[in-house]
Amino acid sequence: MQPPESPSAGRAEVRIVSASPEAARQVAEVLRRCFASTEQRSYPAGADGGTRLHLTVDTTHMAGPARSWLLASQSSGQDRPQTDEV
């Protein structure tokens, strides 16, 4: 299995996993208010009815709330993939 291709500069791939499709849609809506994004793609997350949403956000076109938060935040220097990430 090959690793997934990295998004182009200025873009980020976002995966939302939720037990409720509505909760996943609400999180995607918040991201869309902060960043330009592609249309979301929805997939089942398991036999228990969960949902996965995938979308790509353009971090070069940020709205006010995202810009102020991103400028104020700093990396801890310990950015590592979580153990459950692929």
Side-chain angles (χ1 to χ4, degrees):
M1 181 176 179
Q2 294 200 0
E5 190 174 314
S6 295
S8 61
R11 301 202 182 263
E13 293 290 326
V14 179
R15 307 287 188 256
I16 303 165
V17 180
S18 174
S20 158
E22 185 56 31
R25 282 191 286 274
Q26 288 174 346
V27 172
E29 181 60 30
V30 169
L31 288 171
R32 277 194 223 87
R33 289 181 185 174
C34 295
F35 302 98
S37 68
T38 61
E39 190 65 31
Q40 67 193 30
R41 296 156 324 268
S42 178
Y43 306 94
D48 59 349
T51 298
R52 283 186 309 156
L53 291 181
H54 297 187
L55 64 151
T56 303
V57 296
D58 183 350
T59 61
T60 64
H61 292 92
M62 295 177 280
R67 181 176 303 280
S68 61
W69 177 81
L70 287 169
L71 291 175
S73 66
Q74 294 183 357
S75 172
S76 68
Q78 298 178 2
D79 295 335
R80 290 180 242 128
Q82 298 295 318
T83 57
D84 62 341
E85 290 182 358
V86 177

